[in-house]
C-alpha cells in the first residue's frame, strides 16, 4: 500500500503540472482570454486553494511564510509562461520550461563550487545541444520571442525553487508567495487593460490551472516528496514534458515534429545523466566516509 500511495500521488502531481501547459495553451489559443488576465486569475485561484490547504494543515487562520523576492520570481514565471503560450505549442513550451529550470539549478550548483563528473559534463553538453538544435532557424523551429519568454519563465521558476529550499513548510511558504504575487499580477492587468479580453471558457481554464493544476498539484507533490529519494524526485519530473506533449496531441490536436522528438531525447536524456550521476557520486562519497564513523 505504501508504494501504491507514492506512485498514485506522484502520478497525479506530474499530470497536474503538465496540465498547466495544456490549460494555458488551450485558453490562449482556443478562447478569447488574454495572457495577462490568465496570469492574474491563475495566481488568485492558486492562492485561495493553497491558503485553504495551509489553514487545514496548520489548524490556524494565519498563513505566513514566503517573501516578496520569491513572490516576484513566482510572478515572473507565471507571466512569462502565459505570454509564451500565446505562440508556442504545448510540448515545445513544456520542454523549454523544464530545460531552463534544470539548467538554472545546475548552473547554481556549479557557481557554488560543485564539480561535474565526466558523465555529467557529457549530459550537460547533450542537453545544451538539444536546446540549440530546437531553436535553430528552420521551418519547424518554434517562434523565437515565445521561446525566449518561456526560457525566462524557466529561469524564474528555477530561482524560485532555489530560494524555497529550506525555507520552511513548503505549503505555507508557497501559499504566502502566491498571495504576495496577486498585487504584482494586478499591476500587469492594469497596465495591459487596453488589450485585455474576457472569455468565460478561458476564465475557467485559468481557474483550473491555478486551483487544481497549481494549488492542488503542489500540495500533492509536497505530500509525496518526503517519501521519494532525491534522485527519484528529480528524475520523475522528466515525465512532465512528455505528458504535456501527449496531452497536446490528444486534446488540442497538435503535432510533434522530428526536431522536437530529437531535441526532447537530447535535453531530457542529458538532464537525466546529470541527475543520476550526481546521486551515484554522492553515494560513492558516503561509502568512503561511512567507515570512519564506526565506533
Amino acid at each position: 500500500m505504501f508504494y501504491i500511495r507514492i506512485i498514485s500521488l506522484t502520478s497525479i502531481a506530474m499530470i497536474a503540472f503538465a496540465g498547466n501547459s495544456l490549460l494555458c495553451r488551450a485558453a490562449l489559443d482556443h478562447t478569447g482570454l488574454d495572457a495577462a488576465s490568465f496570469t492574474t486569475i491563475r495566481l488568485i485561484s492558486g492562492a485561495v486553494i493553497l491558503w485553504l490547504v495551509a489553514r487545514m494543515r496548520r489548524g490556524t487562520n494565519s498563513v505566513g511564510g514566503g517573501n516578496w523576492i520569491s513572490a516576484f520570481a513566482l510572478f515572473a514565471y507565471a507571466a512569462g509562461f502565459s505570454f509564451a503560450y500565446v505562440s508556442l505549442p504545448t510540448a515545445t513550451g513544456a520542454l523549454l520550461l523544464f530545460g531552463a529550470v534544470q539548467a538554472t539549478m545546475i548552473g547554481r550548483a556549479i557557481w557554488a563550487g560543485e564539480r561535474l563528473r565526466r558523465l555529467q559534463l557529457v549530459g550537460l553538453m547533450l542537453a545544451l545541444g538539444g536546446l540549440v538544435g530546437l531553436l535553430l532557424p528552420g521551418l519547424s523551429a518554434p517562434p523565437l520571442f515565445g521561446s525566449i519568454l518561456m526560457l525566462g519563465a524557466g529561469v524564474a521558476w528555477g530561482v524560485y525553487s532555489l530560494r524555497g529550499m529550506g525555507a520552511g513548510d513548503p505549503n505555507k511558504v508557497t501559499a504566502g508567495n502566491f498571495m504576495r504575487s496577486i498585487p504584482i499580477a494586478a499591476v500587469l492587468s492594469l497596465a495591459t487593460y487596453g488589450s485585455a479580453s474576457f472569455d468565460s471558457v478561458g476564465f475557467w481554464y485559468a481557474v483550473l490551472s491555478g486551483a487544481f493544476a497549481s494549488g492542488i498539484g503542489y500540495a500533492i507533490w509536497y505530500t509525496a516528496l518526503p517519501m521519494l529519494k532525491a534522485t527519484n524526485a528529480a528524475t520523475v519530473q522528466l515525465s512532465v514534458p512528455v505528458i504535456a506533449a501527449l496531452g497536446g496531441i490528444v486534446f488540442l490536436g497538435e503535432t510533434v515534429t522530428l526536431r522536437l522528438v530529437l531535441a526532447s531525447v537530447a535535453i531530457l536524456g542529458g538532464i537525466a545523466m546529470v541527475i543520476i550521476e550526481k546521486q551515484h557520486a554522492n553515494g560513492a562519497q558516503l561509502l568512503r566516509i561511512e567507515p570512519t564513523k564506526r565506533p
Side-chain angles (χ1 to χ4, degrees), residues 144-224:
L144 181 59
F145 184 65
S147 298
I148 293 173
L149 284 175
M150 190 60 84
L151 289 173
V155 171
W157 185 254
V159 170
Y160 179 82
S161 299
L162 288 168
R163 289 185 56 82
M165 291 180 176
D169 181 352
N171 282 298
K172 190 175 181 181
V173 169
T174 305
N177 286 328
F178 262 79
M179 288 180 178
R180 286 180 174 87
S181 71
I182 292 174
I184 307 174
V187 172
L188 173 65
S189 290
L190 289 173
T192 58
Y193 178 77
S195 60
S197 59
F198 183 79
D199 184 282
S200 59
V201 176
F203 169 83
W204 287 112
Y205 282 155
V207 170
L208 287 172
S209 177
F212 293 97
S214 296
I216 298 297
Y218 294 148
I220 293 174
W221 176 240
Y222 294 143
T223 301

Side-chain angles (χ1 to χ4, degrees), residues 16-41:
F17 293 159
N20 270 318
S21 292
L22 290 168
L23 290 166
C24 186
R25 178 60 176 165
L28 298 176
D29 191 46
H30 297 279
T31 80
L33 190 68
D34 65 286
S37 296
F38 184 95
T39 302
T40 302
I41 297 167

Side-chain angles (χ1 to χ4, degrees), residues 110-132:
I110 295 173
W111 180 266
E114 181 176 321
R115 297 181 63 181
L116 296 182
R117 295 160 68 93
R118 183 175 301 175
L119 192 58
Q120 289 178 296
L121 287 171
V122 172
L124 185 59
M125 291 300 103
L126 181 63
L128 291 175
L131 180 60
V132 171

Side-chain angles (χ1 to χ4, degrees), residues 241-259:
V242 178
I243 297 171
L246 293 174
I249 294 170
V250 173
F251 298 109
L252 302 180
E254 296 180 349
T255 58
V256 176
T257 64
L258 178 61
R259 179 196 288 240

